[in-house]
Amino acid sequence: MTLIGTLFDAPSRLTALDPVAARAKDLADRLLPGGRVRGLLHGRPFGHPAHPAMALVPVGTSISALLLDAAAAVLPAGRALDPAARYLTAVAAASAVPTAVAGWADYTGLHVDQQRTALVHATGNAVAVTCWGASLVAGRRAPLLRTAGTLAAGAAGALGGHLAYRWAAGPNHAEHLPHLAGDEHVDIGALEELPDGELTLRHVGRAPVCVLRRGSSVRALADTCSHLGGGLHGGEVREGAGGPEVVCPWHGSAFRFDDGEVVDGPAATPQPTVDVRVADGRVLARVDGPPAS
């Protein structure tokens, strides 16, 4: 691994952060609203996490302010650009707050090694916001503070990207399952072999599926949770307004069996559905793609 990759991986091994990570999670669970508001913070209506998209506003405005400062340094009338740079910096600082709240909501559903990296990412962003805020009341040092804040935000953003793509915090962990299952219905066993009212693990091709039998009715979903890859068959079944739901044992994401939609928890992406048929006492299943969000 390169030196940069090694540096970006280092926060995940900082076990000294674990007590802080636990307190931050408990605080978020107590203070952040639940229900639809929490779902919105997770990005559930969009089918993917909201935090990265929200980060475009503070990043974009702070870089714009940085460019104005660079232009001011070389243009004869550069001082005239300072009010615009201050305005953009104020927008960056203000928009960082809701962006951080959305990230904090996602933080509660991460593994501990991911949380360590997320804490360092958040610290870098806090430094950036502090510098941006100080620049709004500073005199000649305002451009320097704006630059320092944007550099800190850039480093924190790079670490956030590493957290997402290297440590898989945020991407859909179930997207590949339909590709492993094939296009045909597959026999996954006799109806009478499936325990009534219990979750069972079966395979369609190479794709694991979570199966629920109730009498002669059988429902199923792709087993790998879209949030962080937990096995749904190890979770619990509960009754929801739209029919039975399965709750992931890892972080509590809940999905409807009938359409794969997320109804609770930190998951933002719907679960791939499974088309199930019963013929001559045999259960046939085919994994479909996730429903449109």
Side-chain angles (χ1 to χ4, degrees):
M1 186 181 295
T2 65
L3 175 60
I4 294 177
T6 301
L7 288 174
F8 281 174
D9 270 348
S12 68
R13 296 187 288 270
L14 295 177
T15 57
L17 294 176
D18 289 354
V20 180
R23 286 196 292 270
K25 181 183 183 303
D26 291 342
L27 190 61
D29 285 335
R30 289 200 307 269
L31 296 182
L32 294 182
R36 292 183 178 180
V37 176
R38 181 70 73 95
L40 180 62
L41 292 174
H42 287 311
R44 196 178 303 158
F46 320 116
H48 59 79
H51 175 70
M54 295 174 69
L56 292 175
V57 179
V59 169
T61 51
S62 64
I63 291 176
S64 297
L66 189 65
L67 292 175
L68 288 179
D69 285 335
V74 297
L75 294 177
R79 277 190 162 186
L81 298 175
D82 188 68
R86 287 179 181 272
Y87 171 76
L88 289 168
T89 303
V91 173
S95 61
V97 176
T99 303
V101 172
W104 199 16
D106 290 340
Y107 169 88
T108 62
L110 297 180
H111 297 308
V112 65
D113 50 356
Q114 296 169 326
Q115 288 180 342
R116 296 168 191 154
T117 301
L119 281 177
V120 178
H121 165 72
T123 301
N125 284 322
V127 171
V129 172
T130 300
C131 291
W132 291 336
S135 75
L136 298 177
V137 295
R140 293 182 177 180
R141 293 185 178 180
L144 181 61
L145 288 168
R146 286 194 289 262
T147 300
T150 302
L151 291 176
L159 184 59
H162 192 74
L163 176 62
Y165 293 106
R166 166 69 174 87
W167 291 100
N172 177 8
H173 287 253
E175 184 278 335
H176 64 292
L177 296 181
H179 303 285
L180 298 178
D183 299 326
E184 304 297 327
H185 283 80
V186 174
D187 189 326
I188 59 172
L191 177 65
E192 62 183 16
E193 293 176 351
L194 298 174
D196 200 337
E198 298 180 14
L199 298 173
T200 307
L201 177 65
R202 290 289 188 271
H203 286 81
V204 178
R206 291 179 292 140
V209 296
C210 175
V211 182
L212 173 66
R213 172 197 169 197
R214 287 183 169 176
S216 60
S217 175
V218 181
R219 296 176 172 89
L221 284 176
D223 186 68
T224 305
C225 179
S226 63
H227 173 233
L228 278 179
L232 296 183
H233 71 279
E236 299 179 355
V237 178
R238 73 183 190 188
E239 288 301 317
E245 302 166 356
V246 58
V247 182
C248 180
W250 280 13
H251 301 100
S253 293
F255 305 90
R256 279 198 301 258
F257 267 102
D258 288 348
D259 58 11
E261 285 293 336
V262 186
V263 293
D264 200 5
T269 305
Q271 199 69 4
T273 55
V274 179
D275 182 60
V276 180
R277 302 174 183 175
V278 179
D280 299 325
R282 307 296 297 183
V283 180
L284 308 176
R286 181 193 68 209
V287 179
D288 297 324
S293 57

